Every structure is written in C-alpha cells, then in structure tokens.
Amino acid sequence: MIIAIHQPNYAPWLGYFYKMAHCDTFVFLDDVQYSRGSYTNRVRIGRAGNAVWLTQPIKRDFGGAILDTAFSKEDWPSRHLDSLSGSYRRAAAFNETWPVVRAIWQKVPCQSLAIANRYIVEALAATIGLKPQFHVASMLPTEGATGDVRLAQVMRAVAPGGGTYLSGEGGSGYQSPETFTAAGYELRYAEFQHPEYSRGDEPSMAGLSILDALFHVGVDATRRLVGA
C-alpha cells in the first residue's frame, strides 16, 4: 500500500499528480492551517509567454484551517474561466480541453477552499485516468499531533497494516524516517523531474498548473507526463 498526503491545493502542478499516479491512496490534508502565499489558493498559468498567478479570493481569517477558509467572492470560478479562456484559446489542445475544464469549474462547490479544491483535483485526476482511493484528514481518527508524527497517524488510519508514505521532496526538511519506521511504515520521496512539453511558440516553463499541459498537449499526453 502506497499513500500520498498533501494539502488540497488549487489546480496544482504536474508533480502533485505524479504522486497521485504512483499511490494507492491519496489523503487531502484539509485540517492544517491555511498558509498565506502558499499554493493552497493560487497557482501559476501561462499567458503570452509569461507565468501569471491565478488566485482564489478568500476571506482573510489567518490562523484557521484550510477546511474553514471561506471565499470572499463566490463568482471566482466564472472569472477564472474567463482568464483561462483568454490565456489558452490559441493553445493546440484548447478545443479538446476547454469543454472539460469549463464543466468542472461551472460545478465547483464553494462552501470552503478545501471542498472546492478537492473537487477540482479529483475531477482533473479522473480526466487523466487517475483513480486512487481518496480520503480527507479531517474525517480520520488521529490524535491531534503535528508534523511527521501527525502524518504517521494519518498513515495508520488509512493503512493499519503497514505501507509506504510517498512524500514530495519538500518534506525532507522536517520529516524523519525514524518517525515512520517506528510506526511501521517506510518513507520514500517521489523522484519527479518536471518534463518539457510543446507549448507552441511559448517557452518551456516548469511549475505551472496541470491545466497548462492539458491545454497545450491534451489529456493522453498529460497522463504520460505524470507517469501514469
């Protein structure tokens, strides 16, 4: 059993879906504190050769959990559809991708940041054929610990018989292999190198939303980019 755990980010980059493509279970860490300036409510997209931010408007209640973070404007999905259409209407796979993206964003539930982003991530995952078992941390029986101890508790809740925690490389700064070993799990880091793909006349850029790949190269090629 391979488990990946991550905050419910907004339409995230290819590396996020790479972990999803290589795990059996994916847990949205929705009950941790919202962090200003993170990728939780924003992501970069390509526009006229530049990387620009697409940001969900939220109420500034700092210190609250992602699941309790509300939107300050409920019309943001339609505004973001306008931005995406303007940014990618000349992309090679726009005609293939646009109906799918429009359908997802038109149905986004806006009760909270976590709920909206879970919906988008799961819908995009299904679009490229990824079908891990999904869980949300706030619904799991854990003991309120923090850091990698909390992650080990999440692991125990979804895989009580043992398994492997597939982490992003950013976790190496605060995670201890010993914590997971003591709990009966292996810690492994995802080895993802951002691939290059055709962006027409625009330069290659790493770290953009998965939407950039979908609009430029389509569903099948994007699935291959994340190793599925």
Side-chain angles (χ1 to χ4, degrees):
M1 178 72 75
I2 300 175
I3 298 93
I5 305 171
H6 208 291
Q7 293 94 332
N9 287 357
Y10 180 44
W13 73 309
L14 292 170
Y16 192 105
F17 291 90
Y18 175 88
K19 288 203 302 180
M20 197 175 294
H22 293 82
C23 72
D24 303 296
T25 298
F26 189 93
V27 181
F28 291 105
L29 199 61
D30 63 334
D31 54 358
V32 296
Q33 181 178 327
Y34 165 78
S35 178
R36 182 179 182 182
S38 69
Y39 286 92
T40 313
N41 72 306
R42 65 177 189 165
V43 69
R44 295 188 303 160
I45 61 172
R47 181 181 298 161
N50 298 305
V52 299
W53 289 106
L54 195 63
T55 303
Q56 296 164 300
I58 61 169
K59 294 181 179 179
R60 302 294 181 176
D61 183 18
F62 298 117
I66 299 171
L67 63 87
D68 296 322
T69 300
F71 295 108
S72 60
K73 297 178 181 178
E74 292 192 357
D75 66 342
W76 66 265
S78 62
R79 291 176 179 270
H80 284 197
L81 282 175
D82 289 342
S83 294
L84 291 168
S85 176
S87 298
Y88 291 110
R89 64 181 180 274
R90 294 186 178 88
F94 180 82
N95 290 338
E96 172 193 350
T97 301
W98 176 245
V100 177
V101 170
R102 180 176 58 193
I104 294 171
W105 263 252
Q106 286 177 338
K107 296 178 181 178
V108 172
C110 291
Q111 295 96 318
S112 77
L113 179 63
I115 291 173
N117 288 353
R118 278 171 40 209
Y119 177 86
I120 291 170
V121 167
E122 290 187 27
L124 291 174
T127 297
I128 62 172
L130 306 184
K131 299 178 181 179
Q133 185 176 20
F134 290 105
H135 292 277
V136 290
S138 60
M139 300 296 291
L140 299 176
T142 58
E143 301 169 3
T146 59
D148 57 359
V149 174
R150 172 76 195 294
L151 297 180
Q153 291 181 355
V154 170
M155 292 283 294
R156 186 178 297 114
V158 297
T164 299
Y165 170 43
L166 181 63
S167 172
E169 292 182 350
S172 61
Y174 65 89
Q175 292 172 168
S176 168
E178 289 76 17
T179 299
F180 294 93
T181 299
Y185 300 96
E186 175 190 359
L187 171 61
R188 178 158 60 89
Y189 289 101
E191 298 178 356
F192 179 73
Q193 294 185 349
H194 198 286
E196 292 190 2
Y197 53 87
S198 174
R199 304 187 70 250
D201 296 331
E202 297 187 8
S204 177
M205 286 186 281
L208 302 182
S209 168
I210 189 176
L211 295 172
D212 188 82
L214 284 169
F215 279 118
H216 281 291
V217 299
V219 170
D220 291 341
T222 300
R223 181 186 304 114
R224 292 192 293 270
L225 291 174
V226 300

